[in-house]
Amino acid sequence: MQQNTKHQMEERAVEYFRRGYNCAESVIRATSDVYDADDVFLDARLGSGFGGGMGDGQGPCGALSGGVLAIGALMGRANRHGSDKAARRAARDYARRFEAELGHRTCKDLLRRHRSQVLFRKCGWITGRAAAVLAGVLADHGVYPDPLH
């Protein structure tokens, strides 16, 4: 089931990217779809400012940031009295796996590393891979999509 979830996440993120959403928005939308997260505040608008490495390429890849936002929505604490440890562990794990899979965390370094591809294809591929990595992290931290979804 985990491979299927990774594949679904990757496909949906790439499809959203092709439709014109940025990398962060695409990962958030894919997560919302696959994990049926309408009951949590998982709105793609949260990711709008993270696309393109927070707008200038200097920050983390938007797909990485979108994944961390999705982790918070699915695993975060509901109020200040709860614990944020599980979400922080998952976010740390996601960032490490993202970098291991893609080679860098920042937008500009990822674009430089994958420069042989056209920008649109390159970012779409990175976005898809980031979503697949996120699905693996979520599964390893006990978060699964509804099997009936």
Side-chain angles (χ1 to χ4, degrees):
M1 177 163 129
Q2 184 180 356
Q3 285 295 47
N4 187 39
T5 301
K6 286 181 179 183
H7 183 71
Q8 284 180 325
M9 285 280 284
E10 185 167 9
E11 280 188 341
R12 288 185 190 215
V14 169
E15 181 56 32
Y16 280 120
F17 190 83
R18 283 186 184 136
R19 290 185 195 173
Y21 290 96
N22 74 32
C23 44
E25 295 164 338
S26 296
V27 170
I28 291 169
R29 283 188 162 274
T31 304
S32 186
D33 287 354
V34 173
Y35 289 82
D36 198 21
D38 294 335
D39 60 330
V40 296
F41 187 68
L42 191 53
D43 190 320
R45 291 178 289 182
L46 290 170
S48 294
F50 291 97
M54 296 185 183
D56 66 0
Q58 302 298 311
C61 172
L64 175 61
S65 298
V68 172
L69 288 168
I71 288 168
L74 295 172
M75 300 179 67
R77 61 185 178 176
N79 60 58
R80 65 187 173 96
H81 301 292
S83 174
D84 65 351
K85 288 181 183 176
R88 289 174 48 187
R89 276 193 300 270
R92 182 175 51 245
D93 191 16
Y94 178 55
R96 287 178 183 156
R97 290 190 203 184
F98 179 97
E99 186 170 15
E101 174 78 19
L102 296 163
H104 293 282
R105 292 183 188 187
T106 64
C107 181
K108 72 174 183 161
D109 290 332
L110 284 164
L111 294 178
R112 194 175 307 135
R113 178 180 178 129
H114 302 284
R115 67 177 158 228
S116 63
Q117 299 176 20
V118 175
L119 180 61
F120 179 81
R121 285 195 328 235
K122 173 182 350 190
C123 289
W125 178 81
I126 290 168
T127 299
R129 292 305 312 141
V133 169
L134 177 60
V137 168
L138 290 171
D140 289 349
H141 288 268
V143 180
Y144 300 97
D146 181 346
L148 301 177
H149 186 328

